[in-house]
């Protein structure tokens, strides 16, 4: 028997919960694939409907626009990643090991999970790297923030911030360091493949090198040998 992971999502992200119907799950599955293949700018409900074999009207019953879908899948990813961090840190007491493990989870490629048949986490991870900031770099970000649409991202930053404080309780910037490391992990990966002159990892293209760099940055900031 296969266990299916279902993440509880903010109800303000959707009109009808896509996780509750087969069409809704297809909308998520095909949205992830299309955004990965064509980019968010070229992604439309018309193309999505054609890919699924349904109508645009059917998609509008679930989401009011394509940006809401982008926020939905990014929020889903951050919730899923926080779950992964919690799972992998279970029974680990050493905060340095916990912080290293968290950095590794942030900066290395992800395999698709069999526990979520309607989301390809490997492809979604690539979307987060290339398109993720478009979820909140908008004029409506303050309004969306009041609706708590970015809470999963904040929760992950808070979890990492708490681990940072376990390593050094006197460190004054745990939230800033957390969000910086998360974004830097993605930017360095993007630069590595697309703008290699902006990074030191363009030749080898090895995410393990990014992990080493991030560890060096974090533990230097914390004044901790690792």
């Amino acid at each position: 028997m296969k266990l299916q992971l279902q993440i509880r999502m903010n109800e303000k992200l959707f009109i009808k919960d896509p996780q509750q119907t087969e069409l809704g799950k297809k909308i998520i599955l095909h949205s992830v694939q299309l955004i990965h293949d064509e980019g968010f700018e070229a992604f439309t409900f018309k193309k999505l409907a054609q890919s699924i074999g349904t109508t645009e009207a059917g998609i509008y019953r679930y989401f009011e626009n394509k940006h809401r879908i982008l926020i939905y899948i990014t929020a889903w990813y951050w919730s899923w990643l926080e779950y992964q961090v919690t799972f992998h840190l279970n029974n680990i007491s050493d905060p340095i090991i916990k912080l290293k493990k968290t950095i590794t989870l942030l900066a290395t490629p992800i395999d698709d999970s069999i526990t979520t048949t309607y989301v390809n986490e490997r492809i979604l991870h690539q979307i987060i790297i290339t398109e993720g900031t478009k979820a909140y770099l908008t004029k409506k970000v303050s309004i969306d923030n009041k609706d708590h649409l970015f809470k999963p991202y904040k929760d992950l930053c808070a979890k990492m911030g708490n681990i940072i404080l376990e390593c050094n309780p006197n460190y004054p910037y745990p939230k800033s360091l957390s969000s910086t490391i998360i974004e830097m992990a993605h930017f360095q990966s993007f630069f590595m493949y697309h703008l290699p002159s902006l990074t030191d990892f363009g030749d080898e293209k090895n995410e393990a090198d990014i992990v080493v760099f991030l560890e060096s940055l974090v533990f230097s900031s914390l004044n901790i040998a690792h």
Side-chain angles (χ1 to χ4, degrees):
M1 181 178 70
K2 293 182 179 179
L3 296 176
Q4 291 291 312
L5 175 66
Q6 182 166 330
I7 295 173
R8 185 175 181 179
M9 301 295 293
N10 186 330
E11 294 182 357
K12 292 185 178 180
L13 283 168
F14 52 80
I15 299 170
K16 182 177 181 179
D17 188 351
Q19 295 186 106
Q20 299 304 315
T21 69
E22 288 304 312
L23 176 58
K25 291 177 180 178
K26 287 181 180 180
I27 289 173
I28 300 304
L29 180 66
H30 287 257
S31 292
V32 169
Q33 189 65 58
L34 278 173
I35 293 173
H36 176 263
D37 291 345
E38 301 191 13
F40 179 66
E41 286 78 9
F43 171 69
T44 65
F45 276 11
K46 181 178 181 179
K47 292 179 181 178
L48 179 58
Q50 292 173 343
S51 175
I52 297 172
T54 187
T55 63
E56 291 183 61
I59 297 171
Y60 277 111
R61 294 191 185 101
Y62 288 85
F63 293 98
E64 63 180 271
N65 55 52
K66 71 174 189 176
H67 190 254
R68 262 309 196 260
I69 290 182
L70 180 64
I71 300 178
Y72 182 97
I73 63 175
T74 54
W76 191 98
Y77 174 82
W78 295 124
S79 294
W80 179 85
L81 187 57
E82 186 195 1
Y83 169 81
Q84 295 300 312
V85 170
T86 301
F87 176 80
H88 284 90
L89 299 190
N90 190 33
N91 297 324
I92 298 176
S93 57
D94 187 331
I96 293 178
I97 296 176
K98 289 165 70 173
L99 189 51
K100 286 185 174 182
K101 186 65 178 179
T102 302
I103 291 171
T104 299
L105 289 170
L106 288 171
T108 53
I110 291 171
D111 293 327
D112 186 30
S113 173
I114 62 173
T115 62
T116 50
T117 56
Y118 57 95
V119 178
N120 185 316
E121 288 85 5
R122 181 184 61 82
I123 294 177
L124 182 53
H125 174 67
Q126 294 302 311
I127 291 175
I128 297 300
I129 290 173
T130 59
E131 313 276 3
T133 57
K134 297 172 186 176
Y136 59 83
L137 292 180
T138 69
K139 291 292 187 180
K140 289 184 60 181
V141 62
S142 296
I143 297 173
D144 291 340
N145 187 49
K146 288 180 180 178
D147 288 334
H148 307 289
L149 302 190
F150 311 113
K151 186 177 182 297
Y153 182 54
K154 294 179 180 180
D155 289 345
L156 178 62
C157 286
K159 182 179 288 291
M160 189 172 182
N162 289 333
I163 298 171
I164 288 170
L165 289 177
E166 287 183 49
C167 294
N168 182 351
N170 297 318
Y171 185 71
Y173 314 113
K175 293 179 181 179
S176 297
L177 185 58
S178 296
S179 57
T180 296
I181 293 303
I182 292 172
E183 294 300 327
M184 191 176 295
H186 295 152
F187 280 130
Q188 289 297 315
S189 180
F190 183 84
F191 293 159
M192 183 171 67
Y193 287 103
H194 304 290
L195 299 169
S197 65
L198 296 179
T199 182
D200 296 296
F201 315 118
D203 292 335
E204 297 297 328
K205 291 181 171 52
N206 187 347
E207 282 83 1
D209 294 332
I210 298 178
V211 172
V212 173
F213 164 66
L214 293 175
E215 287 183 357
S216 174
L217 186 66
V218 169
F219 289 108
S220 294
S221 298
L222 298 176
N223 295 315
I224 295 176
H226 65 288

